[in-house]
């Protein structure tokens, strides 16, 4: 081998080794930043309008089990996270890379959150709180829409009937959803629920969907036993057909505004309110709560019977005795009252 060739080898070999080392370094770093898992703990990251790159990275380091903090900082710098923070709810999962998590925030790849509507919701204030709680919303903004007749008219409701548009369920929404997007999501579920079959059933009863919801809101408060819903609905439909007042205790309670009342007294039935069906014939002007789907279907599938009355059973099992005549109803009522008095007496004796 000639001198010149040996010299070339001496020069080229270190260069080759250096280049190879640089390439290997770049490839390894690329793999670490873009492919390798950098998180060991599941974590839900919230980015709001007060968040900074520093607070976001600190939150991830403290809660997501970051393996290589330098990799996360590098990707935040390279991707320009400081100028591209997007508000949202982001689920960080074990196995994700630094690049993916940074790009998730930049590209607003949010994970939807669950909005669950359940329980008794009897007023718009509580509804606004329920709707805003899991979202980045102020309940006052939701309440404003619930009271905005001009806006609600576009959805087919108004500030009095809007409870009838809401169906208890679990909805999936982005944490950054606007009040309008929340309302539109509720309306979309309402429209899906009121399919052709349910509309036909409502029409066969001579009721509109809103009237079905109004009656369902009463039925739901009369019993916690769902298989009684069709029977109770049948009682009220029979009364409507005969021109009788509904005389539903839940409507008298609603008229008082005091939902802690456990026994409706004569004085409660004398409250002058269009919602008090002891005072006025027909259905109230709007639902007295957010009616559940089971209660609505209970009305749509109302039992065909001749009952006009019902009262709680003396067994205190949550169920009711039904009657077609008032005399039969009075016997049932006396049996319940006797059992109730005995229960109170026994309870008092046990406390002494």
């Amino acid at each position: 081998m000639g001198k010149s060739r040996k010299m070339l080898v001496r020069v080229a070999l270190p260069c080759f080794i250096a280049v190879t080392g640089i390439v290997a370094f770049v490839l390894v770093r690329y793999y670490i930043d873009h492919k390798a898992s950098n998180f060991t703990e599941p974590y839900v990251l919230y980015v709001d309008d007060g968040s900074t790159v520093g607070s976001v990275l600190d939150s991830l380091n403290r809660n997501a089990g970051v393996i290589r903090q330098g990799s996360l900082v590098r990707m935040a710098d390279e991707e320009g996270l400081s100028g591209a923070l997007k508000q949202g709810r982001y689920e960080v999962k074990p196995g994700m890379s630094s690049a993916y998590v940074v790009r998730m925030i930049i590209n607003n790849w949010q994970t939807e959150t669950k909005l669950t509507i359940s329980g008794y919701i009897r007023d718009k204030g509580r509804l606004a709180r329920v709707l805003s709680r899991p979202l980045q919303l102020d309940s006052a903004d939701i309440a404003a829409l619930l009271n905005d007749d001009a806006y609600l008219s576009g959805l087919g409701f108004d500030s009095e009937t809007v409870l009838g548009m809401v169906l208890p369920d679990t909805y999936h929404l982005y944490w950054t959803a606007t009040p309008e997007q929340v309302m539109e999501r509720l309306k979309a579920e309402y429209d899906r629920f009121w399919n052709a079959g349910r509309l036909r059933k409502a029409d066969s009863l001579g009721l509109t969907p809103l009237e079905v919801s109004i009656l369902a809101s009463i039925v739901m408060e009369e019993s916690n036993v769902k298989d009684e819903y069709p029977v109770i609905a049948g009682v009220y439909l029979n009364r409507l057909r005969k021109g009788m007042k509904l005389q539903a205790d839940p409507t008298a309670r609603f008229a008082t505004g005091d939902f802690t009342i456990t026994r409706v007294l004569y004085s409660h039935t004398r409250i002058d309110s269009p919602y008090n069906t002891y005072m006025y014939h027909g259905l109230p002007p709007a639902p007295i709560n957010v009616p559940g789907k089971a209660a609505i279907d209970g009305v749509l599938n109302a039992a065909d019977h001749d009952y006009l009355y019902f009262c709680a059973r003396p067994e205190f099992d949550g169920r009711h005795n039904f009657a077609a005549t008032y005399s039969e109803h009075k016997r049932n009522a006396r049996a319940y009252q006797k059992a109730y008095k005995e229960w109170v007496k026994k309870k008092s004796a046990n406390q002494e």
Side-chain angles (χ1 to χ4, degrees):
M1 182 182 294
K3 273 187 176 183
S4 59
R5 195 170 179 184
K6 287 182 179 179
M7 183 64 68
L8 181 62
V9 171
R10 289 195 192 103
V11 173
L13 184 58
C15 289
F16 174 77
I17 293 172
V19 170
T20 301
I22 292 171
V23 171
F25 175 80
V26 170
L27 290 176
V28 168
R29 176 164 283 191
Y30 179 88
Y31 176 80
I32 288 173
D33 292 344
H34 294 80
K35 302 295 182 182
S37 168
N38 197 27
F39 303 89
T40 60
E41 298 293 333
Y43 177 58
V44 177
L45 171 70
Y46 290 93
V47 179
D48 58 30
D49 57 3
S51 296
T52 64
V53 172
S55 66
V56 167
L57 297 184
D58 180 62
S59 183
L60 290 170
N61 287 327
R62 285 186 292 105
N63 300 288
V66 175
I67 301 170
R68 295 171 293 275
Q69 295 184 13
S71 172
L72 189 58
V73 172
R74 239 185 346 263
M75 290 312 303
D77 289 339
E78 287 182 18
E79 296 290 335
L81 183 60
S82 62
L85 277 177
K86 298 292 193 309
Q87 294 183 47
R89 176 186 184 275
Y90 303 99
E91 284 192 13
V92 179
K93 299 178 181 178
M96 287 182 173
S97 69
S98 298
Y100 185 87
V101 169
V102 169
R103 289 170 183 168
M104 180 167 61
I105 300 169
I106 291 174
N107 294 308
N108 204 217
W109 297 337
Q110 291 191 61
T111 304
E112 291 179 325
T113 189
K114 292 181 180 179
L115 165 61
T116 299
I117 301 173
S118 62
Y120 286 98
I121 300 175
R122 299 182 175 92
D123 62 79
K124 288 177 288 184
R126 173 164 168 72
L127 176 59
R129 292 190 294 274
V130 169
L131 295 179
S132 64
R133 190 174 299 134
L135 305 173
Q136 190 195 29
L137 287 176
D138 188 325
S139 62
D141 294 331
I142 290 284
L145 282 188
L146 294 174
N147 287 293
D148 187 339
D149 285 322
Y151 171 78
L152 292 173
S153 66
L155 301 177
F157 292 84
D158 58 39
S159 57
E160 188 167 30
T161 61
V162 68
L163 292 186
M165 187 188 80
V166 181
L167 293 169
D169 208 333
T170 296
Y171 299 82
H172 293 84
L173 293 154
Y174 289 121
W175 181 64
T176 51
T178 64
E180 290 81 5
Q181 288 171 334
V182 173
M183 296 299 290
E184 288 161 11
R185 178 70 180 83
L186 296 176
K187 180 57 163 58
E189 177 59 27
Y190 176 87
D191 289 340
R192 274 193 291 272
F193 178 79
W194 280 101
N195 55 33
R198 287 191 172 94
L199 289 172
R200 281 194 298 270
K201 288 181 179 180
D203 187 62
S204 70
L205 295 173
L207 301 175
T208 65
L210 176 60
E211 289 171 333
V212 171
S213 294
I214 292 171
L215 184 52
S217 71
I218 298 172
V219 169
M220 192 171 77
E221 294 219 17
E222 290 285 19
S223 178
N224 291 321
V225 183
K226 291 183 179 179
D227 64 28
E228 283 195 340
Y229 287 172
V231 186
I232 295 173
V235 170
Y236 285 130
L237 288 170
N238 285 343
R239 290 185 183 182
L240 286 172
R241 290 167 185 145
K242 288 180 175 293
M244 298 172 61
K245 292 178 182 176
L246 293 187
Q247 294 187 325
D249 284 1
T251 66
R253 188 182 301 113
F254 183 86
T256 70
D258 181 2
F259 302 114
T260 64
I261 295 172
T262 56
R263 294 187 68 193
V264 173
L265 305 176
Y266 177 78
S267 60
H268 301 141
T269 68
R270 296 296 90 198
I271 295 174
D272 190 358
S273 164
Y275 286 89
N276 187 355
T277 57
Y278 277 91
M279 290 286 289
Y280 294 94
H281 283 83
L283 293 167
I288 61 173
N289 58 50
V290 171
K293 292 180 180 179
I296 293 173
D297 281 337
V299 174
L300 293 174
N301 297 283
D304 184 13
H305 54 61
D306 58 357
Y307 299 140
L308 291 171
Y309 308 95
F310 62 96
C311 74
R313 298 201 329 175
E315 291 83 359
F316 302 111
D317 57 2
R319 305 187 76 88
H320 295 80
N321 283 324
F322 296 84
T325 66
Y326 186 61
S327 59
E328 183 182 0
H329 172 64
K330 286 198 294 185
R331 287 196 298 272
N332 291 336
R334 282 195 295 268
Y336 172 78
Q337 290 162 1
K338 179 181 178 182
Y340 181 77
K341 289 177 181 178
E342 290 174 354
W343 176 81
V344 171
K345 184 178 179 180
K346 185 180 296 184
K347 183 179 179 181
S348 299
N350 290 335
Q351 290 176 343
E352 291 177 357

